[in-house]
Amino acid sequence: MSQSIRWFSGLGMKDLDQVGGKNASLGEMVSNLTSLGVHVPDGFATTADAYREFLGGTGLAERIDARLADLDTDDTVALAEAGQEIRDLVVAQPFPAQLEADIREAYETLAAGSGDEASFAVRSSATAEDLPDASFAGQQETFLNVRGIDAVLTAIREVFASLYNDRAIAYRVHHDFDHAAVALSAGVQKMVRSDLGSSGVMFTVDTESGFDGAVFITSAYGLGEGVVQGAVNPDEFYVSKTALRDGKAPVLKRQVGDKATKMVYTEDATVGRSTAFVDVDPAERTKLSLTDEQLVELAKQALIIEEHYGRPMDIEWGLDGADGGLYILQARPETVQSRAGSTVEKYHLAERGPVLAEGRAIGAKIGAGPVRVLERIEQMHEFQPGEVLVADMTDPDWEPIMKRASAIVTNRGGRTCHAAIIARELGIPAVVGTGSATRELADGQEATVSAAEGDTGYVYEGILEFSVASSSVESMPQLPTKIMMNVGNPEQAFAFSRLPNAGVGLARLEFIVNRQIGIHPRALLEPEKLDERTAAEVTERIAAYPSAREFFVSRVAEGVATIAAAFAPEPVIVRMSDFKSNEYANLLAGSIFEPEEENPMIGYRGASRYLSEDFAECFAMECEALRHVREDMGLENVKIMIPFVRTPGEAKGVIDLLAANGLRRGENGLEVIMMCEVPSNAATPELFLEHFDGFSIGSNDMTQLTLGLDRDSALVAEAFDERDPAVLFMLDRAITACREAGKYVGICGQGPSDHPDLAAWLMERGITSLSLNPDTVVDTWLRLASQERTGS
């Protein structure tokens, strides 16, 4: 074969200058990874020499240079005219005789035995001489379902012509690259029939957080260009690398995309018209486009590729609907900037305006935007991304819009209310308990929300200037107390794990149930009690899963496993669900199954709920999910925590119930911790510790029950203080009892996050760990280290 054609099997990364990055990488995998189980469809590539011969030997190069001379690429009309003229010239130009003969010969070899149905992808692969930092990704064309040699020849010329599309011309001019320094290689590759299957993109690192312990896979029906172009909302999956290597069940997350359209073949063989988007059958949209077995196979190939290249990779793949095979179509280094886990941000307000409202500051950040006042959840559709959410208060139903807010302001609530907790986890500022924000602020009014000025948060009029300073926390000082984190949102787990930590001291299962399930668990178990409309909605939500029970167990397991994998091998303490009856009532169909209580905060919750006959099977599903995470997925860093245990009898009852559901304390290293949050726990700690491996102090409930106040009431919020002598007395008894028994004792309430002096007192008392909100971890850690050094 001449120097104009190279087979993938003879290529490698050493050939970048001749076939560009895309084709060199395909050759690298075919040559080195096929025997290891990476499946890449065969093909060949034209070389940079062939491209230059095509332009130079036919006189095209001189005509192109002349047309581009003195072109003002900022003149969009002139740029469009020049680009179109050049592309027309390239497509109309016949190949030199020898080059065409070489392409025809390679095509015949590649197509041999494929029959009349054979089709090919013709992809562009740019190469630049002496320009190692040049990036031409996505600037040139790819043509799919190309059938027959004549169409292949046309597609190659179209690929060559795409070097002169408008964006490519302007890019080279703006970056001072010589047009002649860039060449194109056309890769001709057998098509994978993903038009009959599915396809997508996978990354060997989470591009949002930089977490490298999972493979992130996107998938949709049809050809992969739909996903690459962003035309399709795909399914999303995360696969644990550790579990995969250990032979365990590795799928951390499954998220159904709407997959409303897919790209398929057409009957038109004309280059550029051989594919089209069609609607996906509504019944198929709610199903997952990959099985767990296929996810595992894809992730295995991704790991092999990553290990070969020695860096995170961005990989396109296709599932052939005809032969069932999973194939790698492209692989390139992953280049998205990940958030650095060794950096902490500090916000500073550069100016101030009139104060519109003030309350308790949450999140230590600053946000700004137009105000949106929402009086009820039914107004959710009015909310636009980047607006400041202003509401009386929030509950879990508001979370979809909270994620899109630049800041949150509420009338009611204290530092431990729902809005405050969610704002911290989302990393956005909030001001809660203002008393009058919904009256003082108006829709469309521009405002700046500052939670970066201490305990008091302010809502200022106008968009004010502020700055953000970052500092490295790569090496943290040693402390006698471990610093852990409170994490309830699996979507934030990868990012939070980049902060310095000793694990998760509190992962709230009710947050996972709310996000991952959204349906009252009894509605899944007792569908006969639902009205027709509610039953239809439940059926729609669980459509991707074989049964309602499997939906609950799988989704809860996914949430827990994501947090556990993010922080492994450090411990992750998962608190079993602690919804109150009014909160459970907010879930779909919840009002059907929940009692009306005057004070749900001290009612049907925690251990007493688990032990009740009505909730027994719901608790069994929670246990099944955690058992799957620990045993099947191998995430034995998960520990279990039981909330709101009022009596030693309840303590024994729950331990027995866990064992009956396959979670036997001490078996396979399982530790069971008890929330120490009811005064009876601290009054007689020895009686409770007989049944548990330690305490995790819930300072929020312990404070409100000791002081006899509602922690969510703005009317008495000023009296809520974990440092009250009566509360400290309770905390001291709990810590002392655990130390004397040689058992774990931590704290996962709000207090240490809000009060540095309380954190220092707890460390002095010998507490095992402080579990803090992520936004306070670094500051608290450094402050405690400073106090430890100075002895103050």
Side-chain angles (χ1 to χ4, degrees), residues 396-397 509-521 523-524 534 537-538 541-542 551-552 555-556 579 583-590:
D397 290 337
L509 201 65
E510 65 270 14
F511 277 25
I512 295 171
V513 169
N514 186 71
R515 288 185 175 91
Q516 306 281 101
I517 307 297
I519 305 167
H520 195 287
L524 298 171
T534 304
E537 187 172 351
V538 169
R541 291 195 191 184
I542 69 174
F551 165 76
F552 183 95
R555 295 288 286 169
V556 169
F579 279 121
E583 294 170 339
Y584 258 126
N586 288 329
L587 298 177
L588 180 63

Side-chain angles (χ1 to χ4, degrees), residues 43-82:
F44 64 88
T46 63
T47 63
D49 290 343
Y51 172 80
R52 296 190 181 97
E53 180 188 357
F54 174 70
L55 263 61
T58 60
L60 269 179
E62 291 81 2
R63 297 166 69 184
I64 292 171
D65 287 344
R67 187 65 182 85
L68 291 176
D70 302 321
L71 174 66
D72 181 4
T73 55
D74 293 326
D75 184 339
T76 56
V77 174
L79 175 62
E81 290 177 350

Side-chain angles (χ1 to χ4, degrees), residues 231 248 281 405 554 644 696 719 781:
K248 298 286 188 176
D281 184 336
S554 295
F644 226 75
S696 182
W781 192 318

Side-chain angles (χ1 to χ4, degrees), residues 253 399 403 421-427 486-497 504 506-513 515-516 558-560 562-563 566-567 774:
K253 177 182 178 181
E399 290 178 31
K403 295 176 181 178
I421 292 171
I422 299 304
R424 291 186 190 97
E425 295 207 350
L426 293 176
N486 300 332
V487 178
N489 185 354
E491 295 175 8
Q492 298 288 312
F494 291 163
F496 289 158
S497 71
V504 174
L506 172 60
R508 299 174 175 91
L509 201 65
E510 65 270 14
F511 277 25
I512 295 171
V513 169
R515 288 185 175 91
Q516 306 281 101
E558 289 166 17
V560 172
T562 298
I563 298 173
F567 287 86

Side-chain angles (χ1 to χ4, degrees), residues 47-311:
T47 63
D49 290 343
Y51 172 80
R52 296 190 181 97
E53 180 188 357
F54 174 70
L55 263 61
T58 60
L60 269 179
E62 291 81 2
R63 297 166 69 184
I64 292 171
D65 287 344
R67 187 65 182 85
L68 291 176
D70 302 321
L71 174 66
D72 181 4
T73 55
D74 293 326
D75 184 339
T76 56
V77 174
L79 175 62
E81 290 177 350
Q84 189 61 60
E85 183 178 328
I86 293 170
R87 293 193 296 275
D88 290 344
L89 288 172
V90 174
V91 173
Q93 178 65 50
F95 286 107
Q98 186 59 54
L99 175 56
E100 180 168 335
D102 290 343
I103 294 172
R104 287 180 176 273
E105 180 183 347
Y107 172 83
E108 291 299 327
T109 302
L110 184 61
S114 298
D116 296 336
E117 297 299 317
S119 68
F120 303 88
V122 181
R123 307 180 188 276
S124 62
S125 184
T127 179
E129 292 182 345
D130 303 320
L131 296 172
D133 297 324
S135 175
F136 304 98
Q139 291 185 8
Q140 281 72 56
E141 300 294 340
T142 289
F143 298 94
L144 305 176
N145 188 29
V146 181
R147 303 192 294 268
I149 182 57
D150 291 336
V152 168
L153 290 168
T154 298
I156 292 174
R157 286 195 296 270
E158 291 277 7
V159 164
F160 288 175
S162 70
L163 192 60
Y164 294 96
N165 60 41
D166 299 353
R167 64 182 180 273
I169 294 171
Y171 179 90
R172 292 193 294 273
V173 170
H174 292 158
H175 290 81
D176 201 25
F177 295 155
D178 183 355
H179 293 294
V182 186
L184 269 187
S185 165
V188 180
Q189 185 180 34
K190 281 187 177 181
M191 282 290 292
V192 170
R193 292 304 305 268
S194 52
D195 61 307
L196 304 175
S198 57
S199 57
V201 181
M202 57 182 172
F203 303 88
T204 62
V205 64
D206 179 43
T207 56
E208 294 301 312
S209 66
F211 177 70
D212 65 357
V215 178
F216 174 45
I217 300 173
T218 63
S219 172
Y221 301 123
L223 301 173
E225 284 300 297
V227 176
V228 174
Q229 293 173 10
V232 180
N233 180 17
D235 297 334
E236 295 185 356
F237 308 90
Y238 283 93
V239 178
S240 165
K241 293 180 180 178
T242 301
L244 190 68
R245 293 186 178 108
D246 291 345
K248 298 286 188 176
V251 181
L252 298 176
K253 177 182 178 181
R254 307 167 186 83
Q255 183 68 46
V256 181
D258 61 27
K259 305 184 297 295
T261 63
K262 63 178 178 179
M263 182 182 279
V264 298
Y265 290 3
T266 69
E267 296 300 320
D268 192 338
T270 306
V271 173
R273 299 179 186 173
S274 58
T275 61
F277 281 101
V278 298
D279 291 341
V280 174
D281 184 336
E284 293 297 309
R285 298 177 191 179
T286 57
K287 297 179 180 178
L288 294 168
S289 52
L290 287 173
T291 66
D292 282 8
E293 292 75 15
Q294 290 165 340
L295 289 170
V296 168
E297 173 58 29
L298 274 176
K300 284 180 178 177
Q301 294 195 51
L303 287 191
I304 293 169
I305 294 169
E306 179 182 53
E307 288 167 3
H308 177 77
Y309 283 91
R311 61 178 298 169

